Amino acid sequence: MYSNVPGVTAPGGGAAAESGWGPVVRRPVAWIVALVLFAEAFGIAALQWFLGMVVDNQRMSLAGLDPDVMSLSSKIGGVAFGLYFALCGLIALLVAVRDRTPAGLGRVLLISAAVVHGVLGAFTWGLVGWHAFLFMMVVMGLVVLLLMTYDGQQRPASGKPQDGTDGDPVGDSPVSPPPAPTTP
């Protein structure tokens, strides 16, 4: 098995062939991502709830909107966003406990969390400052690192390559396809 991530897997696949930084940082990065996403889930939900209370207490209105609707929508948005980050944290926690690559919906949610942090980082640069931007980029980097360190572990269920060979890298060329058969 070949991987485009340096050090994650070597030719031939297998756990004995792994070397480099991938196996060393997989689980700690997954644990850190899970903790950060859980803390962020609580923080975003608490911030949005607080902002909803401020709008409600001061009876603020934006362009004639009802303050009660604004307050309620802020609280609902905070809870929904907090649950989204908590679900992403749960997926990272499962990855850390199982030491297996996220698959299916879990992988999609982690990719979307990285994209959300990139977009929020772009907004926070101008609205909040470079400290918030740095935090968003660190979280995005951790999520991407989590996805990349587990990327090279995908193997067929049988343990043998799907092309019918025995997995011996000698003589196999990962760059060029086998020659096409010719007819006389």
Side-chain angles (χ1 to χ4, degrees):
M1 166 176 261
Y2 292 88
S3 175
N4 59 355
V5 179
V8 174
T9 57
E18 290 183 353
S19 64
W21 54 270
V24 177
V25 299
R26 281 187 195 135
R27 289 185 100 170
V29 166
W31 282 106
I32 291 169
V33 168
L35 290 174
V36 167
L37 286 174
F38 283 134
E40 196 171 11
F42 175 76
I44 195 73
L47 176 68
Q48 289 295 107
W49 196 270
F50 173 73
L51 290 174
M53 288 179 12
V54 168
V55 168
D56 195 31
N57 289 338
Q58 295 193 0
R59 307 299 301 164
M60 293 179 178
S61 178
L62 179 66
L65 293 175
D66 184 20
D68 294 329
V69 172
M70 289 176 53
S71 173
L72 182 64
S73 63
S74 176
K75 291 175 182 177
I76 291 172
V79 169
F81 214 32
L83 288 174
Y84 165 72
F85 280 138
L87 182 61
C88 291
L90 178 66
I91 291 166
L93 182 66
L94 290 174
V95 167
V97 169
R98 295 177 181 168
D99 197 24
R100 290 179 34 194
T101 184
L105 181 63
R107 187 169 184 83
V108 170
L109 282 173
L110 287 175
I111 291 170
S112 71
V115 171
V116 164
H117 281 87
V119 171
L120 287 178
F123 283 123
T124 57
W125 177 270
L127 297 175
V128 180
W130 69 271
H131 292 95
F133 171 77
L134 182 63
F135 172 77
M136 290 293 169
M137 293 302 105
V138 166
V139 175
M140 183 187 77
L142 284 171
V143 173
V144 169
L145 183 61
L146 169 69
L147 291 166
M148 294 300 293
T149 55
Y150 280 95
D151 197 33
Q153 278 194 322
Q154 298 174 357
R155 292 184 201 101
S158 67
K160 291 194 173 221
Q162 294 175 351
D163 60 358
T165 63
D166 61 354
D168 185 21
V170 178
D172 291 340
S173 175
V175 178
S176 62
T182 58
T183 57

